[in-house]
Amino acid sequence: MKEVQILIIHVRDQKEREVFMQKQLDALGWPYHYVLDGDVADLTPEILDRYFLNDGKPETMYGQFPRTSCAYKHLLATQYILEKGLEGALIIEDDLQFYPSFKQLFLQSMDEYSNRYAQMPFIANYEESSLLLVPRSLRKRGQILYPAQRDRYAGCYYLNKHAAEAIMGYVRQYKSDTTSDCLHNRLVQMGLVHYFWSHPCLACQCTADGSMPTLIPTKPRPWKRLKWFYKRLYKHLLYNFR
């Protein structure tokens, strides 16, 4: 596989993020598509009724919320794979920083995928944002993808058509009451999709490492960038002893 379709989760008026991503996309040289529909203002009652559960909880997804907009855009990206008849796509969020080794190692992982996993509902996560890493005891020379039992955020993942069918089938039947990464995790636990982590990690969300502000309101986190640096160092040391 020499290239892959990229789908970018993006809010229309975030021009700085568009410029940030565009430089990286141009360097990769792969086809891409911005998922622009699904901004907060686009979340009509019809869309909410179709995709999200009206559960009345404090953190419900049923409403015009940034978290719901993000989840809906991921569903639109998933649906895009099926509508366009794609074998799969790399879905990324617009705060993602690719590491220098991304292109080479991602393509290597796609060779692994084609040889071993292409017939299963497959999701592979490539980001370091959650600081969940593959333990050293499991790593094998030359291998990139490792089976995992849970999600690892939703800022950079490859989703094939079989997994896309599983996700949309679940949402059509039950609707969603959570974010994209948690929805993936639920489907993993139900045995509906197979989830993989990459080693090494090939990208990171800038909102996770503190180098870019988040668009989804959260509690203030002073010194986030510095805390990330030390937490990342600690996690890499910890997983190297596992």
Side-chain angles (χ1 to χ4, degrees), residues 174-232:
Y174 301 107
K175 303 184 183 180
S176 178
D177 62 350
T178 189
T179 57
S180 298
D181 50 343
C182 291
L183 179 61
H184 294 166
N185 196 47
R186 181 178 299 165
L187 269 61
V188 171
Q189 293 171 355
M190 294 175 67
L192 297 178
V193 301
H194 296 270
Y195 202 94
F196 294 78
W197 295 354
S198 74
H199 177 80
C201 297
L202 305 182
C204 186
Q205 293 182 65
C206 295
T207 53
D209 69 13
S211 59
M212 185 181 291
T214 179
L215 299 180
I216 298 178
T218 58
K219 295 179 180 179
R221 297 176 63 186
W223 306 100
K224 182 177 180 179
R225 184 73 170 145
L226 187 60
K227 289 178 180 178
W228 165 267
F229 174 82
Y230 286 109
K231 186 177 181 180
R232 180 177 184 271

Side-chain angles (χ1 to χ4, degrees), residues 131-147:
L131 291 175
L132 294 171
L133 310 174
V134 176
R136 185 177 180 180
S137 60
L138 299 179
R139 301 172 196 167
K140 298 179 181 179
R141 184 182 297 274
Q143 183 172 325
I144 303 295
L145 299 175
Y146 296 85

Side-chain angles (χ1 to χ4, degrees), residues 106-134:
F106 178 81
L107 290 176
Q108 183 178 330
S109 79
M110 286 291 96
D111 288 338
E112 288 183 31
Y113 160 74
S114 297
N115 291 331
R116 303 179 189 177
Y117 311 120
Q119 300 308 312
M120 63 173 60
F122 171 95
I123 304 176
N125 186 287
Y126 294 88
E127 63 183 304
E128 193 175 26
S129 311
S130 65
L131 291 175
L132 294 171
L133 310 174
V134 176

Side-chain angles (χ1 to χ4, degrees), residues 1-46:
M1 182 182 292
K2 295 182 178 180
E3 63 179 27
V4 65
Q5 174 78 50
I6 304 176
L7 305 177
I8 308 100
I9 308 301
H10 181 60
V11 178
R12 291 191 193 98
D13 63 0
Q14 293 297 313
K15 297 302 180 184
E16 289 186 9
R17 290 194 177 200
E18 183 179 346
V19 171
F20 172 74
M21 289 307 310
Q22 199 62 48
K23 292 179 180 178
Q24 299 187 83
L25 294 168
D26 290 344
L28 282 176
W30 294 342
Y32 59 85
H33 169 76
Y34 281 97
V35 180
L36 299 177
D37 292 340
D39 287 358
V40 171
D42 299 334
L43 298 176
T44 63
E46 291 78 13

Side-chain angles (χ1 to χ4, degrees), residues 94-106:
D94 63 2
D95 64 332
L96 190 77
Q97 177 70 61
F98 293 120
Y99 291 168
S101 58
F102 177 85
K103 186 171 186 177
Q104 173 192 349
L105 295 181
F106 178 81

